[in-house]
Amino acid sequence: EAGVTQSPTHLIKTRGQQATLRCSPISGHTSVYWYQQALGLGLQFLLWYDEGEERNRGNFPPRFSGRQFPNYSSELNVNALELEDSALYLCASSPPPGQGSANEKLFFGSGTQLSVL
Amino acid sequence: AQTVTQSQPEMSVQEAETVTLSCTYDTSESNYYLFWYKQPPSRQMILVIRQEAYKQQNATENRFSVNFQKAAKSFSLKISDSQLGDTAMYFCAFMKPSSGNTPLVFGKGTRLSVIA
C-alpha cells in the first residue's frame, strides 16, 4: 500500500512569488492535514481538510490556503511568499472516523522543503 | 488551547543504554490521546507509541515505553537498549477526543543522538 506522497520534494522560490504544494493521502483516507515545520519551532498546524471541506485552520495568515479534491488529494498554496515561510511542509492523512484504532493515527508524508530567497 | 512542552532540546545516549525523553502538556480535557513520533534524517514522521488517557496502564512497544502521569500531565518516553537507528528528532503530541479526527498538537521536539 502506498503511503502519503508529497510533491515536489524541494521547492525554491523568491519573495513575493506563489508556491503550490501537493499531497496524495493513503488510499481510503478522507482527512488531510498540513503542518509547517520551521527550524526550532516543531510542527505548527496549518490546515485540516475532510471530505472536501476545510474543518479547521491554525494561526496562519490568509495567504496560506488550500483545497481538497474529490479524490481526497490536497493542495497547499502560499501567496506573497516571505523569507520566514522557508520550512518543511508536512502533509498527513487519516482514515474516516470509526475505522478502529487507526482513527487516532496520522500518517505522514516526507514533506516538501520550501526555500524562499 | 492545549500546549505540549518538551524541555530537552537535545540529548545523547551511549549505544545499548537507556534514555528518557520528557514531555508535559496542558489541557482541561479528561480524555485525550498522547503520542510520540520519531523523525529521522529522512524527514518521515513515524509513530513510535500511543497512549489513551483513560487507560492507566502505560503503553509499551518493544524497546519503547512511556511513563504516563495523568495528574502531573506528564508523558515521558523511555528507550531501552538504545540503537544507532534511534538517532532522530522525537516529538510528543496531543490529540483531543472527538467523534471525528482532530489535528495533533506537537511539542518542539528533542534531538536524540545515539553514540557508538
Side-chain angles (χ1 to χ4, degrees):
Chain A
E1 178 184 277
V4 178
T5 57
Q6 292 187 244
S7 63
T9 305
H10 294 87
L11 189 58
I12 300 174
K13 294 285 186 179
T14 57
R15 282 176 57 190
Q17 285 189 313
Q18 179 196 42
T20 298
L21 289 64
R22 296 178 176 83
C23 172
S24 293
I26 291 171
S27 177
H29 286 194
T30 57
S31 278
V32 170
Y33 306 79
W34 287 96
Y35 286 85
Q36 182 194 67
Q37 186 179 8
L39 210 58
L41 294 180
L43 280 77
Q44 304 290 315
F45 167 67
L46 262 168
L47 289 160
W48 169 28
Y49 292 95
D50 181 62
E51 296 285 356
E53 301 277 336
E54 182 181 301
R55 300 297 185 187
N56 202 351
R57 179 182 185 87
N59 188 25
F60 281 84
R63 57 191 186 82
F64 286 84
S65 65
R67 53 181 172 167
Q68 186 178 33
F69 299 98
N71 66 354
Y72 303 112
S73 66
S74 177
E75 268 183 6
L76 173 68
N77 294 295
V78 188
N79 293 321
L81 284 166
E82 300 178 2
L83 297 178
E84 51 265 35
D85 296 334
S86 295
L88 179 67
Y89 289 83
L90 289 166
C91 171
S93 73
S94 61
Q99 288 199 3
S101 61
N103 185 37
E104 286 79 50
K105 292 181 187 177
L106 269 63
F107 298 81
F108 284 84
S110 295
T112 293
Q113 183 67 51
L114 174 63
S115 299
V116 183
L117 307 177
Chain B
Q2 287 75 25
T3 58
V4 177
T5 302
Q6 294 179 249
S7 59
Q8 306 151 314
E10 293 188 24
M11 293 191 72
S12 61
V13 62
Q14 292 286 333
E15 198 175 7
E17 296 295 309
T18 295
V19 63
T20 299
L21 308 184
S22 301
C23 172
T24 58
Y25 57 93
D26 187 26
T27 183
S28 58
E29 304 281 346
S30 59
N31 191 26
Y32 44 86
Y33 302 96
L34 295 165
F35 305 82
W36 278 98
Y37 277 87
K38 168 184 176 181
Q39 187 182 40
S42 67
R43 310 184 313 194
Q44 182 81 46
M45 293 285 284
I46 301 165
L47 177 65
V48 174
I49 201 164
R50 179 177 76 119
Q51 176 79 41
E52 294 158 1
Y54 64 86
K55 290 187 177 179
Q56 292 186 343
Q57 187 173 7
N58 289 325
T60 299
E61 288 285 345
N62 301 314
R63 298 183 295 108
F64 299 87
S65 61
V66 297
N67 183 5
F68 173 48
Q69 301 289 328
K70 191 173 184 179
K73 296 181 182 175
S74 170
F75 183 61
S76 61
L77 174 70
K78 185 172 82 171
I79 306 174
S80 304
D81 186 24
S82 297
Q83 300 175 0
L84 296 178
D86 296 334
T87 294
M89 282 290 290
Y90 286 82
F91 293 95
C92 179
F94 172 100
M95 177 187 274
K96 284 194 307 184
S98 75
S99 59
N101 296 315
T102 56
L104 289 169
V105 177
F106 285 89
K108 291 186 178 181
T110 296
R111 183 176 301 280
L112 177 67
S113 299
V114 180
I115 303 164

